[in-house]
């Protein structure tokens, strides 16, 4: 074999090994979740006192959903003299007027609600939360993004857990207002359900680091201050503060049984915007906090969990790299049959991905709050195919985060698309996403189509499903990006 062939084989095997280790991490979380479900659940504490709560609503140009948000929060079942609402409004459009009108209506009903506008939008969402915190009267801070609709008993179910003074955050499970809107909303729900059932519960049960998910949760104000406050130096200010708080010794409580529904993005450009922020922000948070975790006094098990957690988004880089390398691997395998034993070993590593299937199967069929009626296998393979299709877009986001390229916080546009698309056309919020990245996704899709053809010609069927899923996924993402851009 030539030297460059050794390099290709080495990169491929390392990539497969890292993906295998990632899948084993997901398997461990699945087993932890099943143990947590079998454990006798303590009854939920009942509220015995009513501490003052500040509800923060960070808003930026949300004219389609902001009224729904304000209505739901103003209907919280909590003594009116024991909570205040801060609408942290950084808007530049008609949202400003809609908020002012809605607030005036509820003020007349005795609700303590205020529209807070900063002189300058610095720090994006983190800056808005920090600005509001300076004015907050509450001992506890509940936070809801614009696309959420909390149930009236939200505070009654979350606040009692703070009777334990070590609790710094109570996080609830996200529900989905428009899960059945389209195939893509079903896929998003499929993925989020696994995170909010198996992953969050598994981490919490294992006493590992978990994260506040940016919304639908409550913070102790003391915890925020003690951890150093909100910071805008990553795109995931929620994950960053979560790690800083837990490194300070604060405990997080995750409530799988409490659902807070939200609206899922319905167009591919909006989905990409959200995925970009989540994946790049996670990589930025890893750069900022992982070394501190690894040099701390936490147990080795906790450090390993934190490493997988913070580097979770890197799976997209590995997936894309493994895919790109796999085509020349077909030729190397064909030209060097003496390497069959080595390639058979690599195939054994692929069985580790069965644990990923088990992870999602438990979430969709065994988790009591996220069970779905759809057949699991079609749902799983559709999800995996679309996830592979996002590997280029998300992989670029991860690499930018790891290498320190800074970009602004881009919000995910919401359209109040529950069972209609009335606000999609000409909405003014959606930025075109049919540019260079979509062209590259198209070309990559064709590259993996050639992988399918090469595999058939060489009579090597082992990687054909992998190449087919990458091809279908990338071509679908490219097409949907251009299709979604029509609404910009």
């Amino acid at each position: 074999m030539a030297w460059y062939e050794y390099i290709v084989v080495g990169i491929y095997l390392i990539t497969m090994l890292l993906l295998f280790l990632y899948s084993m991490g997901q398997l461990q979380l699945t087993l932890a979740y099943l143990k947590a479900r079998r454990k006798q659940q303590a009854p939920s504490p009942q509220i015995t006192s009513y501490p003052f709560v500040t509800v923060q609503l960070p808003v930026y140009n949300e004219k389609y959903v902001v009224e729904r948000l304000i209505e739901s929060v103003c209907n919280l079942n909590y003594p009116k003299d024991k909570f205040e609402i801060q609408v942290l409004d950084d808007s530049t459009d008609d949202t400003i007027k809609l908020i002012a009108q809605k607030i005036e209506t509820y003020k007349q009903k005795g609700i303590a609600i205020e529209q807070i506008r900063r002189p300058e939008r610095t720090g994006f969402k983190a800056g808005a939360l920090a600005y509001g915190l300076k004015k907050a009267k509450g001992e506890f801070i509940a936070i809801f993004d614009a696309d959420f609709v909390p149930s009236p008993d939200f505070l009654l179910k979350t606040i009692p857990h703070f009777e334990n003074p070590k609790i710094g955050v109570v996080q609830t499970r996200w529900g989905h207002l428009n899960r059945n809107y389209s195939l893509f909303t079903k896929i998003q729900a499929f993925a989020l359900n696994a995170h909010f059932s198996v992953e969050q519960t598994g981490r919490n049960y294992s006493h590992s680091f978990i994260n506040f998910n940016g919304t639908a949760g409550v913070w102790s104000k003391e915890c925020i201050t003690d951890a150093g406050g909100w910071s805008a130096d990553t795109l995931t200010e929620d994950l960053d503060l979560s790690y800083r708080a837990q490194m300070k010794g604060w405990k997080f409580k995750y409530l799988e049984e409490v659902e807070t529904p939200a609206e899922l993005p319905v167009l591919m450009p909006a989905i990409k915007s959200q995925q970009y922020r989540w994946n790049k922000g996670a990589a930025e948070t890893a750069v900022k906090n992982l070394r501190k975790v690894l040099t701390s006094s936490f147990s080795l098990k906790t450090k390993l969990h934190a490493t997988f957690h913070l580097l979770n988004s890197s799976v997209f880089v590995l997936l894309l790299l493994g895919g790109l390398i796999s085509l020349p691997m077909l030729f190397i395998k064909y030209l060097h049959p003496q390497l069959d034993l080595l390639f058979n070993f690599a195939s054994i590593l692929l069985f580790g991905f069965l644990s990923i299937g088990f992870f999602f199967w438990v979430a969709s069929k065994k988790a009591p709050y996220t069970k779905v009626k759809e057949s699991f296998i079609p749902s799983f393979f559709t999800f995996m195919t679309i996830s592979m299709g996002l590997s280029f877009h998300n992989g670029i986001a991860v690499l930018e985060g790891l290498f320190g390229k800074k970009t602004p916080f881009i919000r995910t546009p919401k359209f109040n698309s529950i069972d209609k698309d009335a606000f999609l056309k000409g909405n003014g919020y959606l930025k075109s996403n049919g540019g260079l990245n979509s062209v590259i996704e198209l070309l990559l899709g064709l590259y993996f189509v050639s992988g399918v053809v090469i595999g058939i010609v060489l009579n090597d069927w082992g990687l054909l499903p992998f190449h087919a899923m990458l091809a279908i996924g990338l071509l679908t993402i490219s097409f949907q990006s251009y299709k979604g851009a029509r609404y910009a």
Side-chain angles (χ1 to χ4, degrees), residues 19-29 308 351-353 355-356:
L19 287 171
F20 174 77
L21 292 175
Y22 165 78
S23 68
M24 291 298 99
Q26 297 302 95
L27 176 60
Q28 196 281 330
L29 287 175
F308 279 110
F351 284 108
F353 298 128
S355 63
I356 300 295

Side-chain angles (χ1 to χ4, degrees), residues 99-315:
I99 291 172
Q101 292 173 342
K102 208 70 176 176
I103 282 178
E104 186 59 33
T105 299
Y106 280 101
K107 275 187 174 181
Q108 294 176 7
K109 297 180 180 180
I111 301 295
I113 182 170
E114 180 183 5
Q115 183 178 24
I116 298 177
R117 292 187 53 78
R118 297 187 286 164
E120 190 176 3
R121 189 181 178 233
T122 56
F124 305 103
K125 180 181 176 181
L129 293 171
Y131 188 83
L133 192 67
K134 295 176 183 177
K135 301 173 177 287
K137 302 174 184 176
E139 180 182 350
F140 301 104
I141 312 295
I143 300 172
F144 299 103
D145 283 349
D147 48 335
F148 279 74
V149 184
S151 60
D153 60 358
F154 178 88
L155 293 178
L156 299 181
K157 289 182 175 179
T158 53
I159 294 299
H161 292 276
F162 288 103
E163 290 184 4
N164 179 350
K166 294 181 180 179
I167 297 292
V169 172
V170 175
Q171 173 69 52
T172 66
R173 176 175 51 84
W174 293 7
H176 317 294
L177 292 169
N178 59 338
R179 176 188 176 277
N180 295 319
Y181 185 92
S182 69
L183 174 65
F184 291 105
T185 55
K186 287 183 178 181
I187 291 170
Q188 292 173 81
F190 184 83
L192 287 170
N193 285 348
H195 169 71
F196 280 100
S197 58
V198 177
E199 194 167 357
Q200 286 288 64
T201 304
R203 292 189 192 283
N204 214 195
Y205 177 79
S206 301
H207 305 292
S208 299
F209 285 87
I210 70 167
N211 58 292
F212 169 65
N213 292 102
T215 176
V218 186
W219 282 83
S220 158
K221 186 177 181 180
E222 181 186 355
C223 174
I224 297 176
T225 304
D226 184 49
W230 296 105
S231 173
D233 58 358
T234 74
L235 293 180
T236 46
E237 73 293 322
D238 46 7
L239 179 61
D240 170 42
L241 184 57
S242 295
Y243 264 75
R244 287 188 279 121
Q246 288 167 104
M247 282 190 283
K248 279 278 192 175
W250 290 91
K251 305 298 181 184
F252 283 26
K253 180 67 176 179
Y254 177 64
L255 304 179
E256 184 189 9
E257 68 276 13
V258 180
E259 178 180 284
T260 306
E263 180 181 329
L264 295 162
V266 297
L267 296 175
M268 187 54 64
I271 295 171
K272 279 186 164 182
S273 175
Q274 187 179 72
Q275 288 284 313
Y276 175 88
R277 188 176 71 251
W278 285 354
N279 286 286
K280 181 173 182 175
E284 291 176 327
T285 303
V287 171
K288 179 177 179 179
N289 292 299
L290 184 54
R291 182 181 61 81
K292 298 174 185 177
V293 174
L294 295 177
T295 56
S296 69
S297 59
F298 287 100
S299 68
L300 177 60
K301 178 183 175 182
T302 299
K303 292 177 181 179
L304 286 173
H305 273 287
T307 300
F308 279 110
H309 188 197
L310 288 175
L311 296 177
N312 190 42
S313 58
S314 298
V315 71

Side-chain angles (χ1 to χ4, degrees), residues 56-110:
Q56 292 187 323
L57 311 178
V59 172
Y60 175 68
N61 292 352
E62 300 286 5
K63 62 183 178 181
Y64 301 122
V65 296
V66 71
E67 293 176 291
R68 181 182 69 189
L69 169 70
I70 292 173
E71 287 172 4
S72 65
V73 172
C74 286
N75 286 320
L76 287 172
N77 186 10
Y78 204 76
K80 290 182 180 180
D81 61 340
K82 291 294 184 177
F83 79 105
E84 63 175 354
I85 302 169
Q86 295 179 336
V87 185
L88 305 173
D89 182 21
D90 285 342
S91 301
T92 58
D93 66 356
D94 295 345
T95 307
I96 301 170
K97 183 178 179 181
L98 292 174
I99 291 172
Q101 292 173 342
K102 208 70 176 176
I103 282 178
E104 186 59 33
T105 299
Y106 280 101
K107 275 187 174 181
Q108 294 176 7
K109 297 180 180 180

